[in-house]
Amino acid sequence: MIGSGVAGLMSALELPASARVLLLSRDTATPAASRWAQGGLAAAINRDDSPELHRRDTLAAGAGLCDPEAVECLVRQAPAAVDTLLQLGLGLDRHGEQLSTTLEAAHSRRRVLHVRDQTGLALVELLERCIEQRSNVQWLRGTVALQLWREGNRCCGVQVRCHERLGWLRAGAVVLATGGCGHLFSNTTNPSGAHGDGVAMAWEAGAMLRDMEFVQFHPTALMQPGAPHFLLSEALRGEGARLVHADGKPLFASGSELLPRDQLSRCMVREMRRQQQAQLWLDLRPIGQTKLERQFPMILGRCRDLQLEPLQQPLPVAPAAHYWMGGVATDLQACTSLQGLYAVGEVASSGVHGANRLASNSLSECLVMARQLAAADLPAPGPAGRLEPEQPLAWEPSEALQQRCSRSIHALRQLSWQAAGVERNGHELRLAQQQWRQLGSELNLPGALAPLEQQAPGSVLVLNQQQQRQLGWLWECRQRLINTGLLLEAAAFRAESRGGHYRNDVPTPLPYWQRHTIQQRGEAIRSSSGPGSH
Ligand code: SIN
């Protein structure tokens, strides 16, 4: 299991006690995005709601590209997943006896359950405690997965760096729970680790990727100079916060605050362009002090840490990359196109979100798909490889290359934001592809990384501190390069607008394009109709 966000932890927990699970996670400096999830998890639990209404809202948001079976699975099983969490002890907020629900964009009912404004954190901490009790789960922290081990059409393990050692781990099944790619963009609500390592590994191993062009931009990220683009949850607008101009006048007629995220983000970007401003403003005061302090203490605290006082002034906001709908194509058991390789959570394209995700469906998806994975018939591990004695690694990449990588990461993030941000355009995407090719050939990473890539299974290499640091930079740069290239290619290929993908040169959806985009190493990009496409 690679990744220790909600998808990885819940999958490890749901697997039968007979399964021997090795849970790999990076160090604490790169937290899983799940920890930052604010809004909550969507489930139709109220009397005025039903899985049918939840299904309709999810399909409408997905703009014709959801897999109806996957959506059905999500909306039917989400209430049971909530029961499981309550049994495990999750302290979901309540009004008296009733679970409290809030409203987010494109939901026809209040169905977002929450733990104040830190639902993700509360969930991760609970699941971590549960995992500690499980004797069949061994947790290897400080471990970075580098590439998948493929034999024939089968994934049989993974190459990892665990502190100073580099080696291969054999496994009957490898589960990617590595999260999304929001940090490929310069403006994002995601942590720095969200650069799509799982997607890049799956692509390199030849697994099928689907719908990589579909990125969701969240309308309200904080835009305070020098501070990260901190998410200001949509639940704030669900509870009455208003978007306003610098002079405090409302931006929209009442009700538009909860337009679908893609529409609202575009309206905001156009308004910002018209005013030649880098931000608009979100006024939290209509929510009222009592509710703000009760339901959104973390947001208030972080604003105050930045010397912003939301009870006295509107907050500077702008759209930022938030969630990746595309990813490694999976079926309803989380199987990818490569035997032995599974994917759960944001790294996967399970068919639940289509071209645009309904807010707060992602935590619910992690919980439901973890159970689906656990019900799959996972292969047993093959024979353990013989480990060769440890060898020091003979590899000296230059400091200059490391610095070039760091500059390239910055350039790639700007490129993604400018060419594949909220509004895209075929011409600019093609220019960006040229720049991307140029960056890649200047770096020549394949040459620099060859000694690591070609490490023989069974051997263990020992890295000194400088090698560990340089390997980190180079590998991350390579994965970002792969993913940015895939994103630009898919966005240039889909010559229409749909869901999170908006092209101002083709601003409407086209009937032909009610199909998925498929990318697989060694093959030309193509489109495919039908939910299977896997
Ligand atoms: C939010 O709290 O606005 C984000 C929730 C989500 O993206 O599902």
Side-chain angles (χ1 to χ4, degrees):
M1 184 79 55
I2 310 175
S4 61
V6 170
L9 293 169
M10 197 68 195
S11 298
L13 210 56
E14 288 280 6
L15 283 165
S18 56
R20 282 191 303 123
V21 182
L22 188 60
L23 179 61
L24 309 180
S25 67
R26 287 183 291 212
D27 48 35
T28 44
T30 47
S34 306
R35 286 180 169 266
W36 291 13
Q38 295 177 12
L41 52 118
I45 56 142
N46 285 339
R47 279 217 194 91
D48 69 344
D49 200 2
S50 65
E52 174 54 22
L53 288 174
H54 189 185
R55 187 178 77 87
R56 272 195 232 162
D57 292 347
T58 302
L59 290 174
L65 285 188
C66 294
D67 172 356
E69 242 188 281
V71 174
E72 188 67 20
C73 172
L74 175 85
V75 301
R76 297 265 160 221
Q77 293 191 30
V82 171
D83 284 342
T84 305
L85 295 181
L86 290 171
Q87 280 158 23
L88 290 175
L90 185 67
L92 287 165
D93 292 342
R94 291 176 183 267
H95 275 315
E97 291 291 290
Q98 298 293 317
L99 289 170
S100 161
T101 46
T102 190
L103 188 63
E104 289 186 310
H107 285 273
S108 58
R109 294 289 186 278
R110 290 178 81 93
R111 64 167 75 92
V112 179
L113 296 135
H114 49 88
V115 183
R116 294 171 299 280
D117 52 358
Q118 285 185 289
T119 314
L121 183 65
L123 191 48
V124 169
E125 288 182 348
L126 169 76
L127 297 177
E128 283 178 354
R129 288 195 297 277
C130 297
I131 286 287
E132 303 287 357
Q133 323 266 313
R134 293 289 297 264
S135 56
N136 66 321
V137 181
Q138 187 192 345
W139 193 339
L140 213 53
R141 293 179 171 86
T143 305
V144 183
L146 300 176
Q147 53 180 337
L148 299 174
W149 180 354
R150 180 176 167 158
E151 280 176 2
N153 189 35
R154 171 161 210 92
C155 176
C156 54
V158 60
Q159 186 191 28
V160 298
R161 179 182 71 75
C162 182
H163 304 288
E164 75 285 3
R165 300 163 99 208
L166 188 72
W168 293 90
L169 298 170
R170 188 181 265 285
V174 174
V175 182
L176 297 172
T178 45
C181 307
H183 206 268
L184 295 184
F185 294 84
S186 53
N187 287 9
T188 180
T189 61
N190 290 188
S192 61
H195 63 268
D197 47 352
V199 170
M201 284 190 280
W203 182 81
E204 289 192 291
M208 181 186 288
L209 307 183
R210 185 167 55 197
D211 294 338
M212 291 287 287
E213 64 277 30
F214 291 114
V215 179
Q216 184 172 77
F217 297 91
H218 195 289
T220 53
L222 187 76
M223 286 290 141
Q224 180 71 347
H229 298 130
F230 174 60
L231 180 69
L232 294 173
S233 174
E234 197 158 74
L236 291 163
R237 282 174 279 125
E239 299 298 342
R242 303 290 312 268
L243 282 160
V244 296
H245 293 283
D247 62 5
K249 292 214 178 87
L251 203 62
F252 299 118
S254 178
S256 301
E257 259 82 11
L258 287 181
L259 278 174
R261 289 180 182 174
D262 59 311
Q263 289 179 37
L264 185 55
S265 293
R266 277 199 301 282
C267 290
M268 291 174 66
V269 162
R270 287 174 189 167
E271 186 58 24
M272 284 156 53
R273 202 182 297 134
R274 198 182 66 76
Q275 293 182 19
Q276 299 187 330
Q277 298 278 349
Q279 78 276 308
L280 291 165
W281 303 88
L282 186 68
D283 191 352
L284 310 195
R285 289 170 296 183
I287 300 174
Q289 180 169 354
T290 312
K291 196 178 221 182
L292 265 176
E293 281 172 352
R294 191 182 58 232
Q295 203 168 323
F296 302 103
M298 190 268 295
I299 292 178
L300 285 188
R302 286 205 63 179
C303 289
R304 287 171 178 157
D305 289 346
L306 296 166
Q307 319 303 330
L308 295 167
E309 179 42 74
L311 295 174
Q312 279 168 19
Q313 59 184 148
L315 302 169
V317 292
H322 181 60
Y323 188 89
W324 204 285
M325 276 74 71
V328 186
T330 65
D331 66 10
L332 268 180
Q333 259 67 51
C335 302
T336 71
S337 63
L338 202 59
Q339 283 170 35
L341 182 67
Y342 300 78
V344 189
E346 193 172 346
V347 64
S349 165
S350 68
V352 163
H353 306 304
N356 208 358
R357 178 184 61 108
L358 188 67
S360 288
N361 264 357
S362 37
L363 287 181
S364 313
E365 183 200 14
C366 291
L367 304 173
V368 167
M369 286 306 292
R371 186 158 288 185
Q372 292 289 112
L373 166 79
D377 194 11
L378 297 186
R386 190 169 64 86
L387 287 189
E388 300 292 333
E390 299 183 2
Q391 303 279 337
L393 173 63
W395 178 67
E396 288 305 330
S398 66
E399 283 293 330
L401 179 59
Q402 184 190 325
Q403 279 165 18
R404 274 214 310 280
C405 278
S406 150
R407 281 198 302 276
S408 300
I409 290 177
H410 179 77
L412 286 168
R413 296 186 67 208
Q414 298 292 334
L415 193 65
S416 299
W417 181 250
Q418 277 150 19
V422 176
E423 278 200 37
R424 304 165 173 183
N425 172 288
H427 175 66
E428 281 164 26
L429 282 163
R430 282 186 291 280
L431 287 179
Q433 283 184 286
Q434 280 171 19
Q435 288 175 47
W436 171 82
R437 274 191 283 274
Q438 178 75 20
L439 272 168
S441 63
E442 278 165 21
L443 276 167
N444 186 21
L445 286 176
L449 287 167
L452 307 176
E453 265 183 83
Q454 290 154 15
Q455 182 192 12
S459 67
V460 177
L461 298 172
V462 182
L463 281 67
N464 62 34
Q465 288 211 332
Q466 191 199 16
Q467 289 171 327
Q468 288 174 45
R469 198 165 39 82
Q470 295 200 336
L471 170 65
W473 273 107
L474 267 56
W475 213 275
E476 177 177 334
C477 189
R478 163 176 142 147
Q479 292 180 329
R480 284 175 180 270
L481 202 59
I482 291 172
N483 287 331
T484 305
L486 292 166
L487 162 70
L488 294 174
E489 182 185 44
F493 184 63
R494 181 175 289 276
E496 65 150 3
S497 292
R498 182 183 297 272
H501 169 74
Y502 180 80
R503 292 252 313 239
N504 59 18
D505 52 338
V506 204
T508 53
L510 300 179
Y512 167 82
W513 275 108
Q514 192 169 349
R515 354 173 99 228
H516 299 284
T517 315
I518 305 294
Q519 286 161 294
Q520 204 162 6
R521 190 174 190 177
E523 292 184 17
I525 188 167
R526 63 188 164 90
S527 65
S528 162
S529 55
S533 29
H534 156 210

